[in-house]
Amino acid sequence: MSLQIQMLGTGSAFAKTLYNTSALVRSTNGNVLIDCGYSTPKSLHEINIQPDQIDGIIISHIHADHVGGLEEMAFRLLYEFNHKKTKLFLTQSIAAILWENTLKGGMYNPSDGFTRIEDYFEIVLIDEHIPTEILPGFTVEMITTMHIPHKPNYSLFINDRTFYSADTQFNAELLMQEVVNKRNCHTILHDCQLSGYGAIHATLEQLLTLPHDIQERIYLMHYGDNMMNYIGKTGSMRFIQQHEVLTLS
């Protein structure tokens, strides 16, 4: 079975033209989103995918550029597609705060009986660090990574051969020992802050310290609108661009 990942957006949280970084995993068994930022529904529209064609959404953390499109997806599924409930895959730590801290303000509607996140989505809890089958032939393992201190955040192993960082601070040991040496991941999709101090994201300067053989596996995402200024300055790494498709298996 062919598994493909298509980038719906590749921009940073502050990018204005590149859309929020999120991805669509496609297979013959269904379509699953990795994150759903506020620009994700627009990007899906541009590739002719409707909300009812999405079989699940995986949430890495609750920043708006990763979950800001959930309200639109939920309301469209409710009002346009006869209240279809798409599966929402998330850990217990994210489930405990996503509704109360992010979605409730716009989606709480007791008069119509919508008072919980379960009223909009089918919640599927994922255990940390345990591979979970999302669809036949598509397995995800969510591992804890550091983004913002004291806030739950996850990166993903897809079928144990692709690493998707979502948002994370630079961690050379993770990349060299776990991602490459232990699991031999053939594809690494990694967020990349192009300049400045890497307080919450891996910077290009940091990623350039990785050995050549690891850089060759890396596709850079979550970058700024000034990406074109860095063409040819990324070592053996390359930028993945919006709507680009990679075959994973």
Side-chain angles (χ1 to χ4, degrees):
M1 181 202 70
S2 176
L3 193 70
Q4 295 181 322
I5 187 166
Q6 182 171 23
M7 299 307 298
L8 298 176
T10 57
S12 69
F14 306 139
K16 299 298 182 287
T17 61
L18 298 172
Y19 292 23
N20 310 136
T21 292
S22 61
L24 175 65
V25 178
R26 297 172 175 263
S27 78
T28 54
N29 294 309
N31 299 312
V32 174
L33 294 179
I34 300 176
D35 289 329
C36 185
Y38 41 85
S39 65
T40 300
K42 181 179 180 182
S43 188
L44 287 170
H45 173 76
E46 291 174 352
I47 60 172
N48 297 312
I49 297 289
Q50 296 297 318
D52 68 328
Q53 295 174 274
I54 300 300
D55 301 292
I57 306 171
I58 301 167
I59 301 300
S60 67
H61 64 293
I62 65 168
H63 279 158
D65 59 317
H66 293 261
V67 298
L70 287 176
E71 181 176 309
E72 178 178 336
M73 292 289 287
F75 283 152
R76 291 191 64 196
L77 289 168
L78 173 62
Y79 295 115
E80 295 180 11
F81 298 101
N82 196 31
H83 199 193
K84 176 185 176 181
K85 285 188 178 182
T86 290
K87 292 179 179 179
L88 201 60
F89 296 93
L90 66 178
T91 65
Q92 181 61 59
S93 60
I94 290 181
I97 58 177
L98 179 60
W99 175 255
E100 289 294 332
N101 292 16
T102 302
L103 299 179
K104 186 176 180 179
M107 298 172 66
Y108 181 72
N109 182 6
S111 62
D112 288 335
F114 297 100
T115 60
R116 308 172 305 151
I117 194 170
E118 291 86 355
D119 296 325
Y120 292 97
F121 296 102
E122 180 182 342
I123 301 301
V124 181
L125 295 179
I126 295 180
D127 292 325
E128 300 175 359
H129 301 276
I130 296 178
T132 300
E133 187 176 66
I134 305 299
L135 294 171
F138 173 31
T139 297
V140 163
E141 181 181 347
M142 299 183 74
I143 66 165
T144 55
T145 44
M146 176 60 73
H147 181 38
I148 302 291
H150 312 299
K151 288 189 176 182
N153 187 84
Y154 300 92
S155 296
L156 285 65
F157 283 106
I158 299 172
N159 286 0
D160 210 38
R161 295 301 308 281
T162 296
F163 180 71
Y164 186 98
S165 75
D167 289 1
T168 184
Q169 296 178 30
F170 182 63
N171 188 334
E173 182 179 2
L174 171 67
L175 292 170
M176 290 191 290
Q177 299 303 321
E178 181 72 18
V179 175
V180 174
N181 289 346
K182 180 179 178 180
R183 305 197 189 216
N184 193 27
C185 288
H186 54 64
T187 303
I188 301 170
L189 293 123
H190 208 292
D191 56 315
C192 177
Q193 180 180 314
L194 294 176
S195 61
Y197 171 63
I200 59 176
H201 287 283
T203 67
L204 176 58
E205 182 179 13
Q206 290 170 324
L207 291 167
L208 283 169
T209 66
L210 294 168
H212 172 76
D213 66 308
I214 296 179
Q215 289 189 36
E216 287 185 318
R217 309 179 191 211
I218 294 178
Y219 293 84
L220 301 173
M221 61 183 185
H222 207 282
Y223 44 77
D225 285 330
N226 60 340
M227 176 269 286
M228 293 299 295
N229 297 334
Y230 290 85
I231 298 294
K233 301 177 182 179
T234 61
S236 301
M237 301 175 288
R238 53 154 293 189
F239 292 110
I240 192 167
Q241 301 194 39
Q242 186 186 21
H243 295 160
E244 185 173 350
V245 178
L246 298 178
T247 298
L248 302 182
S249 60

